[in-house]
Amino acid sequence: NAEYMGKYRSLTSNMALRPLFVFLCVSISLVFGSDDGDSIKSAETISVMLEQSIATSSAQSNAWTPRASVALTVHQFRGIVTVNLSPIKSSWAAQDIKSLADAAEHGGFYRLRLPASPSKPDGRYVSASVPACALLSSNFQEELVLHLDSTPNIISMSYSTPVAFCNKKVLTEARSSASFNMKVSVDQAVPAPKATPQVTEKRKAEGKPVEEQQSFFRKYWWAIALAVLVFSMGGGGGGGEAAAGAGAAGGRAR
């Protein structure tokens, strides 16, 4: 009977610990499977308007007009943000081409701009330009590179054409329409690595703020303590069973 009761107590003890063990496993998987809550993969598409302007000189800028809608798809995974850009397609009629040719004759420029903060437009823009004659000489072929931070905001953009010089012959060509052929790419900043102990000590000596780096045990002490508690309680149940078995054996010997 004593041996039976010992096994019964061990079984019921282990059954009582099962919910705690399941909770421990779930907690540890959440802790080590995430990176400060940023491990969830998400994607967001943001539409912004690419605007254009034709200026007859570097000091002058005509009114900005819409050229094309740009879709930025922002992916977030483990704190890392990547951006994909949709193709930018647009075309011009004869009047637009004539305006560009008039600006090219006077050494003017063709400008582009985008909101600096695509997700939350606040009136700030980044812009770039090329000589109007270079765009005509390149037969409306363009290359646009967006330089982004990790937010992602647009820090700046690079705008260029395959032909940098001005071919005067294109100024006299009559065109009824034109289609832009734009190559778009994204140059994204990489998050800076964590500060080394030497850098941290230097910043402290200079009186600059230092982000406190928590050790592994300090950050996850509660999970470790919970694991120790579960396994110690499970070990106690096994000890009781052994003691009960020893007592029963001693009784039979007598």
Side-chain angles (χ1 to χ4, degrees):
N1 293 336
E3 182 179 1
Y4 173 77
M5 291 302 296
K7 291 183 178 180
Y8 176 76
R9 284 194 298 268
S10 176
L11 178 61
T12 54
S13 175
N14 291 335
M15 291 180 64
L17 288 176
R18 282 183 182 178
L20 190 60
F21 182 73
V22 172
F23 171 76
L24 174 65
C25 293
V26 173
S27 300
I28 292 177
S29 65
L30 289 176
V31 168
F32 297 103
S34 64
D35 185 10
D36 298 331
D38 292 330
S39 64
I40 300 176
K41 190 173 183 180
S42 61
E44 178 186 7
T45 301
I46 305 170
S47 295
V48 294
M49 182 58 66
L50 177 68
E51 296 181 331
Q52 62 184 355
S53 175
I54 300 175
T56 55
S57 67
S58 59
Q60 179 188 3
S61 179
N62 294 341
W64 293 94
T65 58
R67 172 173 160 178
S69 179
V70 183
L72 294 88
T73 304
V74 182
H75 301 272
Q76 297 188 18
F77 183 65
R78 292 190 179 277
I80 300 175
V81 179
T82 56
V83 177
N84 294 329
L85 215 62
S86 65
I88 301 176
K89 298 180 179 180
S90 53
S91 59
W92 266 3
Q95 182 59 40
D96 299 316
I97 300 173
K98 184 178 183 306
S99 298
L100 185 67
D102 291 343
E105 287 183 357
H106 296 85
F109 291 83
Y110 177 70
R111 292 188 171 98
L112 295 176
R113 76 175 185 179
L114 280 168
S117 179
S119 58
K120 297 179 180 179
D122 54 7
R124 296 181 298 115
Y125 289 88
V126 292
S127 61
S129 62
V130 294
C133 192
L135 182 59
L136 284 170
S137 302
S138 300
N139 195 25
F140 295 92
Q141 296 185 55
E142 317 159 284
E143 183 173 358
L144 183 66
V145 181
L146 300 183
H147 305 278
L148 310 179
D149 60 15
S150 57
T151 310
N153 287 328
I154 303 177
I155 303 173
S156 63
M157 65 182 190
S158 304
Y159 181 43
S160 61
T161 55
V163 180
F165 62 88
C166 181
N167 182 3
K168 296 293 185 180
K169 294 181 179 180
V170 300
L171 301 180
T172 58
E173 293 180 359
R175 301 191 185 189
S176 58
S177 63
S179 296
F180 286 91
N181 183 11
M182 175 177 282
K183 180 182 177 182
V184 187
S185 59
V186 173
D187 179 22
Q188 192 162 357
V190 178
K194 299 290 185 181
T196 61
Q198 294 80 2
V199 174
T200 301
E201 292 299 326
K202 182 179 179 181
R203 292 182 66 87
K204 287 182 179 179
E206 295 174 352
K208 297 180 180 180
V210 177
E211 181 182 354
E212 184 179 359
Q213 300 294 327
Q214 295 184 351
S215 66
F216 175 84
F217 291 100
R218 184 176 178 183
K219 193 172 184 180
Y220 304 118
W221 65 268
W222 59 271
I224 298 173
L226 188 58
V228 172
L229 176 62
V230 169
F231 290 119
S232 64
M233 293 177 66
E241 180 182 355
R252 287 194 298 270
R254 287 194 298 271

